[in-house]
Amino acid sequence: MSITFKAEPSDKLTGQIRVPGDKSISHRSIMLGSIAEGVTEVTGFLQGEDSLATLEAFRSLGVKIEGPDKGQVRIHGVGMHGLRAANQPLDVGNSGTSMRLLAGLLAGQSFTTELVGDASLSKRPMRRVTDPLAEMGAVIHTSEAGTAPLTIEGGQSLCAIQYTLPVASAQVKSCLLLAGLYARGQTCVTEPAPTRDHTERMLQGFGYPVKRKNATVCLQGGGKLTATALDVPADISSAAFFMVGASIASGSDLVLEHVGMNPTRIGVINILRQMGADITLSNETTVSGEPVADLRIKSAPLHGIRIPEDQVPLAIDEFPVLFVAAACAQGQTVLTGARELRVKESDRIQVMADGLAALGITAQPTEDGMLIEGGQMSGGQVNSHGDHRIAMAFAIASLRANGAILIDDCANVNTSFPGFVDLACACGLNLSVQ
Ligand code: S3P
C-alpha cells in the first residue's frame, strides 16, 4: 500500500519520549535466543517489520517464540542443532540484516533454506556474504547479479577462515561470526574500520567466548549458547531524527530516554556536536552489555563541517537526517568516504540529493558522498523510494521548511519505527498520513 506523508511547517520539539527498540539488537536477540539452550526473555524488542521478519523466520525454522507483546518476547531456544527445515522460503521483506545474518547462520545447518525479500532487498549486493561463506565451504545460490533469492544448501561442513572485510560492514562481520559458530576451527574477521559490535557483545552475554585484538574479532566453532535476559535499548538510529529535529527547530528542548550509546553507533552525536548541536547525556548506565543514556537536546545554530571519514561507519544509517541538518546549517557540509550509502534500502546519496533539490537546497551528490550548502528550505514534493529513513528525514525537514512537504512512498517507516507519526506529532511535528 502506498502511503504519503504530509509534513506541514511546525516550530519546535518538546517533551520527553522513548523511541522504539534498537533494530540491530532486536534481530540478534531472536537469532541468538533461538540457537541458545533455555528460554531467553527479551524486553524492549522492536515490533517493526524488519525485526518481526526475523522473528517469523525463526518460527518457520521450528522455534517456539511467545509475543511480541509490548516489546516482550520469550524465545524457547532449541540449541545449536535444533533448528528444523522451513516448509517454504523465508521472506524477510525489506530487511538486509535478516538476510545477511541468516545467510551465515543457515550455512551451517543440515537442511536447505531459501531466503527471499522485497524488490529493494532483491537488488542489494549479497556476494559480500556469499563469497566469504563459500570460502568456508558453504554452498549458496544467488541470482546471476549476486542478489536474492538465496538458496543455502544444507549438510555442508564449514571450515573457519581468517577474513579481512573489503568494506566496513557489521552485517558481513556478523554473518561470518554466525557461520563461524558452526565451523571447524577459529573464525577471525578483521574490519577496515570499527563497525557496530552488537553481535560480539550479545554472544558474550549468551556465554559464548569472543576474542578481540585490535581490528580483529575471533571465535572458535562448536561451542554453545546459554539463554539469558535481554533489555533492548531505544534505537539511536530512530532517536537521530529527533536529535536533528530538536537541534534545527528553535525553542526546542527534548529528552530522549534510554537510548543505546554503544561507541560504535554514536557517530550521529559526534557529528552533530561538531556542527554545534547542544546534546547532553544523563542517567548513563549499562543494560545487557550495552551502554545507554538519556539525551537532552536543545536547539542550537548549526554550522557546516567536513564530516570526518572515521565517523562514517559509526553513523552509517543516520546520513539521510544528517543531510537535513546540513541543509539547515550555516555554510557548506562535505561528506566523503560514504559510498556504502548507495547500496542501502535506496541509493541514499541520490535520493536525498534529489529530495533536497526539490526543496530548494543546493546538494551536489558525489560518488561517495555529498556537498550541501545550507539554506532556506521550501515546501515541495519528494519521493522516499520506499526507504524508511528517507521518509522520516524529510518529515523532520518540515521543522524548517516554509511550506508543506509531501513525501511519497512512506509505508516502510514501519520497518524500523512503528508509531513514528504519532510520536512525532506528540512532541510537536505537524505530520499526517494522506
Ligand atoms: C546493521 C549494519 C549496517 C546498517 C544496518 C544494520 C546491522 O549495515 O546499515 O541498518 O544490524 O548489522 P552494514 O553493516 O552493511 O553497513
Side-chain angles (χ1 to χ4, degrees):
M1 198 180 59
S2 174
I3 286 180
T4 296
F5 283 175
K6 183 175 188 186
E8 292 178 88
S10 49
D11 51 304
K12 60 182 177 189
L13 294 184
T14 54
Q16 177 149 350
I17 59 171
R18 178 165 173 167
V19 300
D22 187 280
K23 183 153 75 74
S24 294
I25 298 175
S26 294
H27 282 297
R28 288 157 171 81
S29 71
I30 298 291
M31 295 179 190
L32 299 190
S34 292
I35 57 168
E37 289 174 18
V39 177
T40 290
E41 311 249 5
V42 186
T43 53
F45 180 78
L46 169 66
Q47 293 181 227
E49 287 167 8
D50 277 11
S51 38
L52 290 173
T54 291
L55 187 153
E56 287 305 334
F58 278 89
R59 276 194 180 134
S60 302
L61 293 165
V63 183
K64 181 177 169 201
I65 303 176
E66 295 172 75
D69 179 17
K70 297 190 194 77
Q72 294 202 23
V73 182
R74 275 168 67 86
I75 308 158
H76 297 256
V78 296
M80 292 297 290
H81 299 285
L83 298 176
R84 296 286 167 259
N87 48 27
Q88 76 258 333
L90 302 180
D91 185 351
V92 295
N94 195 240
S95 177
T97 308
S98 308
M99 186 166 281
R100 296 205 178 106
L101 272 58
L102 272 168
L105 199 152
L106 293 170
Q109 306 297 327
S110 59
F111 53 85
T112 297
T113 309
E114 190 178 356
L115 295 177
V116 300
D118 71 4
S120 154
L121 182 54
S122 303
K123 280 194 236 143
R124 296 179 66 187
M126 291 298 148
R127 285 203 181 111
R128 55 179 59 195
V129 292
T130 58
D131 284 351
L133 287 173
E135 278 183 47
M136 296 177 80
V139 178
I140 304 181
H141 308 286
T142 66
S143 76
E144 253 177 54
T147 54
L150 303 183
T151 304
I152 302 157
E153 302 273 358
Q156 315 300 318
S157 69
L158 301 186
C159 264
I161 51 168
Q162 273 77 52
Y163 189 71
T164 299
L165 299 177
V167 287
S169 167
Q171 290 184 349
V172 180
K173 173 178 64 175
S174 301
C175 164
L176 299 179
L177 293 176
L178 294 175
L181 297 174
Y182 292 91
R184 240 176 317 113
Q186 180 171 250
T187 296
C188 294
V189 184
T190 302
E191 39 188 12
T195 67
R196 64 191 69 191
D197 63 358
H198 305 302
T199 304
E200 298 92 300
R201 286 174 188 252
M202 199 182 286
L203 278 167
Q204 286 168 302
F206 278 90
Y208 205 102
V210 178
K211 279 188 268 171
R212 174 174 281 275
K213 195 166 175 226
N214 304 321
T216 301
V217 47
C218 298
L219 58 75
Q220 186 75 32
K224 66 168 192 156
L225 280 72
T226 306
T228 184
L230 291 169
D231 175 19
V232 180
D235 197 328
I236 189 169
S237 297
S238 297
F241 298 102
F242 293 95
M243 288 183 216
V244 171
S247 297
I248 63 175
S250 76
S252 294
D253 187 353
L254 186 69
V255 175
L256 303 171
E257 295 169 359
H258 204 64
V259 181
M261 284 290 120
N262 182 310
T264 61
R265 295 285 298 281
I266 57 172
V268 62
I269 297 178
N270 300 337
I271 293 167
L272 284 173
R273 279 183 170 155
Q274 275 198 36
M275 295 175 79
D278 178 354
I279 302 174
T280 48
L281 273 58
S282 62
N283 294 330
E284 291 179 66
T285 177
T286 300
V287 294
S288 310
E290 294 278 352
V292 298
D294 294 344
L295 302 181
R296 181 173 186 185
I297 305 102
K298 294 189 197 166
S299 51
L302 301 184
H303 53 84
I305 59 165
R306 178 172 280 277
I307 296 173
E309 287 196 4
D310 65 356
Q311 295 299 311
V312 170
L314 312 182
I316 193 65
D317 291 334
E318 285 64 79
F319 285 102
V321 79
L322 283 169
F323 293 152
V324 170
C328 298
Q330 178 86 37
Q332 188 181 62
T333 296
V334 182
L335 173 68
T336 55
R339 192 185 305 264
E340 275 294 295
L341 294 180
R342 292 202 178 269
V343 291
K344 293 295 180 187
E345 287 83 328
S346 69
D347 175 345
R348 287 183 172 161
I349 293 177
Q350 193 60 49
V351 171
M352 282 304 298
D354 291 346
L356 289 172
L359 304 180
I361 294 294
T362 305
Q364 178 64 49
T366 63
E367 216 180 306
D368 68 342
M370 184 117 74
L371 269 68
I372 297 174
E373 297 289 343
Q376 174 59 53
M377 278 188 288
S378 63
Q381 187 151 8
V382 300
N383 193 317
S384 82
H385 290 269
D387 185 328
H388 53 139
R389 300 201 199 278
I390 305 275
M392 291 185 276
F394 281 116
I396 292 300
S398 67
L399 287 158
R400 284 279 286 271
N402 58 16
I405 304 176
L406 282 174
I407 312 157
D408 290 327
D409 205 359
C410 293
N412 279 340
V413 165
N414 287 329
T415 61
S416 68
F417 203 146
F420 171 72
V421 172
D422 287 347
L423 198 60
C425 290
C427 51
L429 230 69
N430 190 354
L431 185 61
S432 57
V433 178
Q434 297 288 289

